[in-house]
């Protein structure tokens, strides 16, 4: 009986994985420039972390988490997102006491959500995200958005749209919450079961409902922007000023609420405008989450971050027809003729690799013509040919595959002479 891959997961094979590596390398390079340091948290956490941090009224907690009981009868959940785990580590490891503040971190790794698989959406998916903890300055919000936008742009994406909104502080949200309840309550029976449950728990989440998004009450729902107090309004205006200063175009969308309970003040999404990208256009989402650290037992700590899907990143590159430069080939392929020469290339291959060259040899006892074909498939810059006769005479032949030029070198000083050929 054959065993197939679980639904909603994927194998990333050679030829494709190099695209992932390029994106990951660019993300790390940018984080170094912006002074964000890597953090690696466990793939599973105590379930309470996500129900308290992400919010028990969210779709993630209600429907999408992979939760199980371990042998110690503890409820464990595969991480559905990265922020809660990073903040848990920030609190547990007392990073709020570090001299350098804010604490700026990034992560990269698999997340898990049980949802219907569709184009660009998987049950196991890979996220890159950043978190900046310890600053209430809207300039750090602009920096976080800038990092995400620059990552996309430096990989070649052009058809991007940034939308932003303010969810306000606690006072603003309380006033808006009351207005939303009064708006939806008289006709809440016309909405889905989830929205009916959200009315009292978190009415803001009704605005994020996919099933009822075309309902007429959605179009006339009170805007959060009308309920921002002076502090929240000034914060949002400052963010817009900084984005303009950074030459980052944006649109304000008062209906942008994001899907997690911990957001306040800044919320943003980056979308792809590429033709044929698909119905789900969001590439990246994030926002400010002041209060999350306190929710999981830490001191009062403001925070801002984002997360993006590598799978959707690659889908956007494909939609814009951007070909990443991958598979540049190897430096040298060792071809051998005769048993003694074949044995000798085992050690010679190691010498080449230790000298810094990417190198390969034949392992299938192929004829010399087939070995050259293998070298072509590997895009070898040079083919080194060693036969039993050459071995006896301490000679070795090197062929430049681009020019066709071939030279004979002394086997005893081959590595040094081969290095000189590259100069």
């Amino acid at each position: 009986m054959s065993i197939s891959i679980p639904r909603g997961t994927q194998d990333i094979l050679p030829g494709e994985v190099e695209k992932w590596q390029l994106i990951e390398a660019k993300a790390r390079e940018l984080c170094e420039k912006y002074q964000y340091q890597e953090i690696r948290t466990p793939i599973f956490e105590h379930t309470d972390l996500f129900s308290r941090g992400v919010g028990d009224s969210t779709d993630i907690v209600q429907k999408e988490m992979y939760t199980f009981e371990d042998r110690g009868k503890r409820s464990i959940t595969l991480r559905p997102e990265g922020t809660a785990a990073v903040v848990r580590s920030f609190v547990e490891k007392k990073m709020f006491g570090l001299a350098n503040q804010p604490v700026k971190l990034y992560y990269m790794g698999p997340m898990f959500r049980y949802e219907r698989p569709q184009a660009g959406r998987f049950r196991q998916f890979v996220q890159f995200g950043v978190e900046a903890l310890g600053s209430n300055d809207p300039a750090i919000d602009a920096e976080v958005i800038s990092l995400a936008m620059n990552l996309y742009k430096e990989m070649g994406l052009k058809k991007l749209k940034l939308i932003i909104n303010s969810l306000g502080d606690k006072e603003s949200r309380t006033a808006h919450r009351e207005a939303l309840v009064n708006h939806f309550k008289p006709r809440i029976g016309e909405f889905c079961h989830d929205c009916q449950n959200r009315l009292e728990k978190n009415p803001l989440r009704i605005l994020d409902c996919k099933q009822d998004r075309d309902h007429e009450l959605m179009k006339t729902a009170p805007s959060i922007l009308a309920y921002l107090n002076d502090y929240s309004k000034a914060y949002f205006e400052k963010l817009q000023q900084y984005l303009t200063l950074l030459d980052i175009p944006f649109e304000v969308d008062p209906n942008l609420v994001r899907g997690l309970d911990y957001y306040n003040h800044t919320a943003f999404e980056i979308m792809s405008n590429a033709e044929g990208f698909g119905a789900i256009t969001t590439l990246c989402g994030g926002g400010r989450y002041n209060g999350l650290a306190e929710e999981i037992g830490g001191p009062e700590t403001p925070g801002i971050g984002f997360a993006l899907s590598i799978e959707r990143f690659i889908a956007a590159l494909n939609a814009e027809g951007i070909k990443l430069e991958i598979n540049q080939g190897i430096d040298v392929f060792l071809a051998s003729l005769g048993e003694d020469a074949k044995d000798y290339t085992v050690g010679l291959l190691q010498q080449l690799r230790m000298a810094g060259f990417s190198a390969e040899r034949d392992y299938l006892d192929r004829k010399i013509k087939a070995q050259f074909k293998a070298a072509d498939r590997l895009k070898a810059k040079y083919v080194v040919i060693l036969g039993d006769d050459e071995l006896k005479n301490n000679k070795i032949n090197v062929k430049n595959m681009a020019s066709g030029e071939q030279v004979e070198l002394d086997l005893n000083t081959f590595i040094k002479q081969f290095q000189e050929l590259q100069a």
Side-chain angles (χ1 to χ4, degrees), residues 325-371:
E325 294 295 327
I326 62 172
N327 194 13
Q328 297 301 303
I330 64 173
D331 294 318
V332 57
F333 184 91
L334 292 182
S336 59
L337 285 160
E339 199 65 27
D340 291 339
K342 184 181 79 169
D343 292 343
Y344 188 89
T345 60
V346 172
L348 190 58
L349 183 68
Q350 177 75 348
Q351 291 178 47
L352 282 163
R353 289 169 174 171
M354 293 304 98
F357 298 106
S358 56
E360 188 57 283
R361 71 184 284 277
D362 177 56
Y363 288 100
L364 299 178
D365 286 331
R366 287 174 284 204
K367 302 293 185 184
I368 192 66
K369 186 176 180 181
Q371 291 185 55

Side-chain angles (χ1 to χ4, degrees), residues 238-258:
K238 204 70 174 173
L239 169 65
Q240 295 176 70
Q241 176 188 333
Y242 289 145
L243 290 175
T244 302
L245 185 67
L246 295 173
D247 198 24
I248 300 175
F250 62 88
E251 296 177 17
V252 176
D253 181 357
N255 293 321
L256 174 65
V257 299
R258 302 291 299 140

Side-chain angles (χ1 to χ4, degrees), residues 79-93:
R79 61 187 184 194
E81 58 94 47
T83 300
V86 171
V87 176
R88 188 268 311 148
S89 181
F90 173 87
V91 170
E92 187 175 357
K93 301 303 188 293

Side-chain angles (χ1 to χ4, degrees), residues 111-345:
M111 309 290 164
F112 305 85
R113 294 186 194 175
Y114 188 87
E115 55 184 337
R116 185 173 64 86
Q118 51 188 301
R121 182 165 287 181
F122 299 87
R123 289 176 175 171
Q124 177 179 317
F125 54 98
V126 176
Q127 280 189 344
F128 162 68
V130 309
E131 315 292 350
L133 293 138
S135 172
N136 258 322
D137 188 341
I140 199 83
D141 300 36
E143 176 183 279
V144 163
I145 293 171
S146 163
L147 197 161
M149 290 294 288
N150 282 342
L151 176 58
Y152 287 125
K153 288 177 179 177
E154 291 196 17
M155 295 303 294
L157 290 177
K158 293 181 175 63
K159 298 178 180 178
L160 301 168
K161 180 171 77 171
L162 168 66
I163 62 172
I164 64 172
N165 190 24
S166 173
L167 304 179
D169 60 9
K170 188 174 182 181
E171 180 184 72
S172 303
R173 289 188 69 167
T174 299
H176 184 232
R177 181 188 186 283
E178 185 178 344
L180 286 173
V181 171
N182 293 335
H183 177 76
F184 286 112
K185 193 169 186 177
R187 296 174 63 182
I188 194 63
E190 300 172 19
F191 286 76
C192 70
H193 180 71
D194 287 338
C195 284
Q196 292 177 36
N197 287 335
R198 290 166 180 158
L199 182 67
E200 297 301 331
K201 290 182 179 178
N202 189 354
L204 190 67
R205 294 278 293 112
I206 295 175
L207 301 177
D208 200 38
C209 179
K210 303 298 184 287
Q211 185 174 332
D212 294 318
R213 60 187 171 187
D214 295 325
H215 194 286
E216 61 179 319
L217 287 187
M218 290 292 206
K219 299 167 187 172
T220 57
S223 167
I224 179 63
L225 298 180
Y227 292 86
L228 296 181
N229 57 22
D230 289 343
Y231 173 77
S232 298
K233 194 178 297 183
Y235 194 101
F236 192 43
E237 288 172 353
K238 204 70 174 173
L239 169 65
Q240 295 176 70
Q241 176 188 333
Y242 289 145
L243 290 175
T244 302
L245 185 67
L246 295 173
D247 198 24
I248 300 175
F250 62 88
E251 296 177 17
V252 176
D253 181 357
N255 293 321
L256 174 65
V257 299
R258 302 291 299 140
L260 307 177
D261 282 359
Y262 52 58
Y263 285 117
N264 46 62
H265 286 297
T266 304
F268 69 91
E269 288 187 356
I270 300 171
M271 299 178 171
S272 170
N273 278 333
E275 187 177 343
F277 180 63
I280 303 171
T281 59
T282 302
L283 296 175
C284 167
R288 181 161 280 281
Y289 47 83
N290 301 350
L292 180 56
E294 298 96 294
E295 185 67 34
I296 56 180
E300 183 178 344
T301 308
I304 171 80
F306 73 75
L308 62 84
S309 158
I310 304 294
E311 289 88 347
R312 297 191 64 73
F313 199 145
I314 291 172
L317 291 169
N318 292 338
E320 290 198 29
I322 296 168
K323 304 293 184 185
L324 299 181
E325 294 295 327
I326 62 172
N327 194 13
Q328 297 301 303
I330 64 173
D331 294 318
V332 57
F333 184 91
L334 292 182
S336 59
L337 285 160
E339 199 65 27
D340 291 339
K342 184 181 79 169
D343 292 343
Y344 188 89
T345 60

